Amino acid sequence: MSVLDDIIAGVREDMAQRQRELPLEKVQERAAQAAPALDAFDALGGNDNPRGTLRVISEVKRSSPSKGALAEITDPAALAVRYEDGGAAVISVLTEQRRFNGSLADFDAVREAVRIPLLRKDFTVDEYQIWEARAHGADLVLLIVAALDDEQLRTFLDLTHELGMNALVETHTAEEIERAAAVGARIIGVNVRNLKTLEVDRSVFAALSESIPAGAVVIAESGVRNTADVEHFAANGANAVLVGEALVKHNDPAATIAEFMQAGAAAIAGRLQASER
């Protein structure tokens, strides 16, 4: 069993418990009462991406399967406010319990504290989780191509859009990018972490990003340690970077976000200039 398979097995068990406590019909009622979703596609520059702009998706992340405990984060709302103040375009909140020590309670706290789009970061394997995300005020959900067949991917993406949200469609290979494009994904992430081995290979991004269709927002996921990594991803086509560990372990995450945005903007400007020669 791969790491991804093991995580998904736990996700299904935890979801089943929540379903027993709150059936789908009740979740759908709550989703209908939630405030309309914010436009994460627009926030990430999908409708108008000014020349030389890099967005940052900042993550509330306590733990990870590869690194274990990262940060205590006793007040996720306060951390999210610092992210928003630093210029984050979107905030990602881990809600997976077993490997990432996240929760929907964390998500709710952050939703109350900030006014920018929120990504419910979890392993989506059932429509229940999408309705659940909307009921809690999510604007964006994660769909991992490696965890879904084509029918699930299309159905989940369609439901996400029907509920007014967007989806970050995560890929790891050229074949997965083709599958994401085939269902009309508008926000496509390339995760440079191998979900089978948990190893990071940053060169994967440059090799894959060129195959992402024009018009899609391109997200670099995992592997951002410093400005050099941001520059590398931005120079190779990233419109945004998703950053967790480098922010939660930093004493001044707002300043770090600003540094990453500045470094990314310079790299994008250089790439554009080179393409015009």
Side-chain angles (χ1 to χ4, degrees), residues 140-143 157 160-161 165-169 186-188:
L140 192 64
V141 296
L142 179 68
L143 301 179
L157 185 61
T160 300
H161 290 159
M165 297 187 291
N166 282 282
L168 168 54
V169 181
R186 301 198 304 163
I187 305 173
I188 299 178

Side-chain angles (χ1 to χ4, degrees), residues 161-183:
H161 290 159
E162 287 170 14
L163 294 178
M165 297 187 291
N166 282 282
L168 168 54
V169 181
E170 178 177 301
T171 65
H172 302 81
T173 66
E175 185 268 339
E176 289 179 6
I177 290 174
E178 289 181 7
R179 291 178 58 204
V183 299

Side-chain angles (χ1 to χ4, degrees), residues 141-160:
V141 296
L142 179 68
L143 301 179
I144 302 175
V145 176
L148 305 170
D149 61 34
D150 288 344
E151 182 178 355
Q152 289 173 318
L153 185 59
R154 185 181 298 278
T155 299
F156 291 178
L157 185 61
D158 287 348
L159 175 59
T160 300

Side-chain angles (χ1 to χ4, degrees), residues 230-268:
V230 173
E231 290 168 353
H232 168 73
F233 291 135
N236 285 284
N239 302 120
V241 291
L242 190 154
V243 189
E245 180 180 351
L247 296 178
V248 300
K249 297 177 73 172
H250 201 283
N251 290 329
D252 192 348
T256 303
I257 292 169
E259 290 171 5
F260 286 176
M261 292 173 64
Q262 183 176 11
I268 291 175

